């Protein structure tokens, strides 16, 4: 198959990233990759902190975080006061899971496409509270979003208290119909908790319209911020019910006689509880605005489209090699820069190991619900030669 005509010469952006040049990296979805200007800013914030830690952490930090949060809020269309920076989505949804007052007999509904760490979080909390975690099957392939909504809703019972759903699933890389689920959940009096690990920077977000009660997102994946930058969005009516994971200065108003490092007004537990945990390095949070600016400066919608075209070409070749049907239709409503594709019967762990060892291709291969899959991520640093190398490696090892 001839290489596709791309809408942007992606190799010109490869030099902007710190990735090794002796490999083909098709696993952006796991941990992301940070562009040089963003990483430089991250290190500049670290140097500023070290030059005068008391000035930085004790006097400047709350205002710096407010400014960074405001820029993130504009990017994802959410009120800044409803956001708080956290290290990652797992941290964000642990806050939510431990704060919801589940009772014995309550049910938390997730699906078979959820990320393992998040599923474990809810199973753990349910075990502690006497509630039940329901792992609802959503079978593939599917043709329409309505099929997914109906499969999810089959798991809802009068005892369902929470619906957990990934915006873009980790193992199967499917953009889920979260707005529809959130609407149905709200009408039924069920809380909606969305794992948005793969959404910011890969798809457009408008959290104010999405309707989720709680939404956790990563900035270090597709937004390309430094590792350790994520956020939690909470609708205003739920913020007072949140509990701190770590009790620190924000748990009570500051004592005027003792002072504190906080400068948050009373009645704002979201930021006060979670943005000052004691001595820590907030540099990743403060570099998020530069990651947003980097993507704007490099015309990111065009980059996303070029990546999608390249992934479409990869999909066609991998599906031709396997002879298997895709999990979802071939359009951007289902996937953009990350896609899971079926492999023929094989040991996926061995396929992944050989692709790395023999071809220096970094791409995840795994079993999901008994089916071997490969999940290919395409980012601005990738080029048609990367796909050619992947397909050649697959032909050799399958």
């Amino acid at each position: 198959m001839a290489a596709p005509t791309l809408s942007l010469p992606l190799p010109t952006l490869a030099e902007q990233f710190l990735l090794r040049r002796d490999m083909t990296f098709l696993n952006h979805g796991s941990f992301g990759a940070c562009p040089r200007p963003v990483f430089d800013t991250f290190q500049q914030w670290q140097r500023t902190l070290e030059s005068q830690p008391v000035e930085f952490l004790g006097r400047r930090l709350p205002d710096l975080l407010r400014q960074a949060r405001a820029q993130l809020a504009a990017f994802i269309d959410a009120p800044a006061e409803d956001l708080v920076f956290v290290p990652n989505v797992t941290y964000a949804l642990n806050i939510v899971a431990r704060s919801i007052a589940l009772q014995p007999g309550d049910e938390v509904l997730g699906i078979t496409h959820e990320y393992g760490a998040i599923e474990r979080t809810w199973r753990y909390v349910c075990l502690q509270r006497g509630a039940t975690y329901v792992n609802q099957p959503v079978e593939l392939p599917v043709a329409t979003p309505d099929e997914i909504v109906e499969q999810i809703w089959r798991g809802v019972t009068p005892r369902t208290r929470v619906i957990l759903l990934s915006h873009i699933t980790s193992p199967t890389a499917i953009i889920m119909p979260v707005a529809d689920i959130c609407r149905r959940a709200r009408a039924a009096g069920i809380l909606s908790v969305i794992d948005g690990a793969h959404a910011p920077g890969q798809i457009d977000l408008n959290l104010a319209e999405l309707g989720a009660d709680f939404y956790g997102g990563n900035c270090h994946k597709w937004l390309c911020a430094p590792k350790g930058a994520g956020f939690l969005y909470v609708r205003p009516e739920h913020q007072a019910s949140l509990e701190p994971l770590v009790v620190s200065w924000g748990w009570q108003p500051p004592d005027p006689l003792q002072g504190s490092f906080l400068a948050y007004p009373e009645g704002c537990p979201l930021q006060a509880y979670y943005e000052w945990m004691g001595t820590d390095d907030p540099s990743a949070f403060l570099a998020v605005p530069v990651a947003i600016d980097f993507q704007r400066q490099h015309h990111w919608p065009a980059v996303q489209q070029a990546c999608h075209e390249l992934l479409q070409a990869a999909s066609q070749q991998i599906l031709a090699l396997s002879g298997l049907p895709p999990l979802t239709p071939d359009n951007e409503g289902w996937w953009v820069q990350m896609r899971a594709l079926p492999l023929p019967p094989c040991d996926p762990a061995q396929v992944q190991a050989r692709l790395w060892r023999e071809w220096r291709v970094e791409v995840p291969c795994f079993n999901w619900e008994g089916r071997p899959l490969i999940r290919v991520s395409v980012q601005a640093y990738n080029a048609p030669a990367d796909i050619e190398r992947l397909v050649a490696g697959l032909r050799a090892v399958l």
Side-chain angles (χ1 to χ4, degrees):
M1 178 180 294
T5 301
L6 301 180
S7 56
L8 189 77
L10 294 181
T12 62
L13 286 178
E15 296 300 327
Q16 295 282 343
F17 287 81
L18 296 162
L19 291 165
R20 284 166 42 182
R21 309 304 296 162
D22 65 340
M23 67 174 179
T24 291
F25 195 72
L26 295 167
N27 193 12
H28 190 92
S30 282
F31 305 112
C34 193
R36 293 176 187 274
V38 180
F39 194 75
D40 288 346
T41 299
F42 168 66
Q43 292 187 315
Q44 288 168 12
W45 281 120
Q46 291 180 315
R47 292 189 179 94
T48 302
L49 186 161
E50 294 301 330
S51 69
Q52 220 294 28
V54 174
E55 172 73 18
F56 187 85
L57 295 174
R59 303 186 187 108
R60 297 182 60 196
L61 184 58
D63 282 338
L64 292 172
L65 287 172
R66 269 194 286 269
Q67 293 167 24
R69 202 185 316 114
Q71 293 181 67
L72 173 62
F75 181 73
I76 61 176
D77 283 321
E81 61 270 21
D82 297 338
L83 294 176
V84 63
F85 281 116
V86 294
N88 52 53
V89 168
T90 300
Y91 192 105
L93 296 196
N94 263 267
I95 292 170
V96 176
R98 292 166 183 264
S99 296
I100 293 175
L102 294 173
Q103 302 295 321
D106 287 345
E107 293 179 352
V108 175
L109 177 66
I111 65 173
T112 49
H113 300 245
E114 298 307 327
Y115 182 57
I118 303 302
E119 180 180 320
R120 283 165 171 78
T121 295
W122 286 96
R123 287 187 184 278
Y124 175 85
V125 170
C126 286
L127 183 63
Q128 300 299 308
R129 309 279 176 81
T132 300
Y133 181 82
V134 177
N135 196 21
Q136 174 67 13
V138 173
E139 298 179 358
L140 300 177
V142 291
T144 69
D146 287 345
E147 291 179 37
I148 290 181
V149 172
E150 292 308 315
Q151 288 193 64
I152 293 172
W153 211 256
R154 287 176 200 148
V156 173
T157 75
R159 296 180 298 277
T160 303
R161 180 81 189 283
V162 176
I163 291 179
L164 166 69
L165 186 63
S166 292
H167 202 157
I168 300 176
T169 59
S170 179
T172 49
I174 298 171
I175 300 173
M176 286 286 169
V178 293
D180 291 340
I181 290 294
C182 288
R183 279 194 292 271
R184 287 187 71 165
R186 183 166 298 279
I190 299 169
L191 294 173
S192 54
V193 180
I194 305 302
D195 174 350
H198 290 279
Q202 186 175 182
I203 60 176
D204 291 336
L205 284 179
N206 187 324
L207 294 192
E209 293 184 358
L210 191 67
D213 291 295
F214 306 91
Y215 190 106
N218 283 330
C219 301
H220 69 262
K221 287 184 184 280
W222 296 94
L223 188 52
C224 299
K227 311 299 181 286
F231 66 86
L232 173 62
Y233 162 84
V234 184
R235 288 177 65 95
E237 63 265 31
H238 302 307
Q239 292 176 21
S241 66
L242 292 181
E243 298 182 358
L245 287 181
V246 177
V247 175
S248 189
W249 286 98
W251 180 59
Q252 291 179 328
D255 185 336
L257 298 178
Q258 294 183 1
S260 82
F261 286 102
L262 285 170
Y264 296 110
E266 281 191 64
C268 295
L270 189 60
Q271 289 81 38
Y273 277 5
Y274 305 113
E275 285 189 348
W276 179 254
M277 296 292 99
T279 304
D280 200 1
D281 182 356
S283 301
F285 301 156
L286 300 180
V288 167
V290 180
I292 294 170
D293 288 342
F294 177 87
Q295 294 196 349
R296 285 174 177 155
Q297 292 165 10
H298 290 88
H299 313 291
W300 218 249
V303 173
Q304 291 167 327
Q305 180 59 36
C307 290
H308 183 79
E309 294 169 7
L310 189 54
L311 183 53
Q312 177 67 63
S315 301
Q316 292 169 358
Q317 295 178 72
I318 294 170
L319 292 170
L321 185 63
S322 71
L324 296 169
L327 305 180
T328 60
D330 290 338
N331 62 61
E332 292 183 31
W334 292 100
W335 53 273
V336 181
Q337 291 177 251
M338 183 174 73
R339 192 179 192 189
L341 298 157
L343 293 174
C346 65
D347 180 344
Q350 285 298 316
V351 172
Q352 179 173 337
R354 288 189 61 190
L355 284 172
W356 173 248
R357 185 175 63 247
E358 299 171 22
W359 293 82
R360 280 295 178 260
V361 173
E362 187 69 82
V363 65
C365 305
F366 48 87
N367 277 310
W368 174 79
E369 296 292 293
R371 303 167 67 172
L373 302 178
I374 183 171
R375 194 189 72 183
V376 183
S377 298
V378 176
Q379 187 51 291
Y381 46 76
N382 291 121
D386 295 326
I387 302 307
E388 293 169 9
R389 190 171 187 84
L390 168 65
V391 174
L394 285 172
R395 286 198 183 100
V397 304
L398 285 176

